[in-house]
Amino acid sequence: MDMKGLPLLIIVSLLFVTSSCNHKEAKKELMIDDSVKQIIFFSNHKQYEQEVSYYDAIIELKRSFPEEIKNMKIITASESKNYYNNFEIENCPAILLVYQDEVLVEIKGNVPKEQIVKPLAHALDSGR
């Protein structure tokens, strides 16, 4: 592990708030509040190298949307199988923005940071 990866790993470790089925049950277990826009991050910390762009995007988004990032739900790979069908996710990494029982933004797989930040920031900013 190089020195650049270590701080990211530490930051992500601090951000992790793990959660352990139909959509309503999943929402209840995840404590999703339909009255706010909720970010859900599907992560496999064992393959963090593939998720670096997601970590960078989360750090960048935190500057403009600190509350939304603070309330982000992180679903680890071991828990994710319980939620894949509910959110139509096939594997990690993936990040969703959910509001009033609807997925507003869905980003899956290995994508650059900008392709994560732009749609999330736009959706989070609208209606403010």
Side-chain angles (χ1 to χ4, degrees):
M1 176 184 308
D2 62 11
M3 291 307 290
K4 184 177 180 182
L6 187 59
L8 284 175
L9 186 59
I10 292 169
I11 289 169
V12 170
S13 296
L14 293 174
L15 287 174
F16 268 82
V17 179
T18 56
S19 319
S20 263
C21 279
N22 65 38
H23 188 62
K24 293 289 182 195
E25 287 174 4
K27 283 177 52 184
K28 189 175 186 180
E29 288 175 24
L30 285 172
M31 303 297 284
I32 294 176
D33 181 354
D34 276 342
S35 67
V36 297
K37 293 177 182 175
Q38 178 70 63
I39 298 171
I40 304 171
F41 178 36
F42 290 81
S43 174
N44 183 353
H45 64 277
K46 291 179 182 174
Q47 298 177 345
Y48 75 91
E49 299 91 357
Q50 297 173 10
E51 298 180 355
V52 169
S53 59
Y54 286 82
Y55 305 148
D56 289 344
I58 289 166
I59 291 166
E60 186 172 321
L61 287 164
K62 187 173 182 172
R63 292 183 198 125
S64 300
F65 306 99
E67 280 302 306
E68 290 84 347
I69 295 298
K70 185 178 110 182
N71 294 324
M72 176 175 61
K73 304 294 182 190
I74 300 174
I75 300 175
T76 63
S78 61
E79 301 165 323
S80 60
K81 291 170 188 62
N82 299 329
Y83 301 101
Y84 280 166
N85 289 338
N86 298 312
F87 294 107
E88 297 177 14
I89 300 294
E90 295 168 11
N91 52 33
C92 299
I95 196 164
L96 306 175
L97 180 63
V98 180
Y99 180 58
Q100 294 183 340
D101 213 19
E102 182 182 340
V103 177
L104 302 178
V105 176
E106 176 180 273
I107 301 156
K108 302 176 190 176
N110 191 9
V111 295
K113 176 182 80 167
E114 296 75 30
Q115 288 184 12
I116 301 167
V117 172
K118 272 188 172 182
L120 284 173
H122 179 72
L124 288 167
D125 206 30
S126 67
R128 268 192 160 181

